Amino acid sequence: MLEDAKPSIAGSVVRFAETHPSDDAEVATQLVEVIGLIHGEAASGAA
């Protein structure tokens, strides 16, 4: 069970200071993947 999970992206402080998150396709792709994995794990744990 996940409680109070907070995503973290290595180097994001510097990276986001230079690139707006909406312009960062790599991070967007990674976040979608991670959220999908979490969702899959939650769904299989609920079964």
Side-chain angles (χ1 to χ4, degrees), residues 22-39:
S22 65
D23 296 327
D24 196 334
E26 179 183 357
V27 169
T29 300
Q30 290 173 357
L31 288 175
V32 169
E33 276 184 40
V34 168
I35 292 170
L37 290 170
I38 292 170
H39 177 72

Side-chain angles (χ1 to χ4, degrees), residues 1-41:
M1 172 185 273
L2 288 173
E3 292 184 17
D4 299 322
K6 296 178 181 161
S8 176
I9 302 169
S12 64
V13 174
V14 173
R15 186 176 188 154
F16 290 158
E18 297 170 357
T19 305
H20 192 279
S22 65
D23 296 327
D24 196 334
E26 179 183 357
V27 169
T29 300
Q30 290 173 357
L31 288 175
V32 169
E33 276 184 40
V34 168
I35 292 170
L37 290 170
I38 292 170
H39 177 72
E41 288 293 321

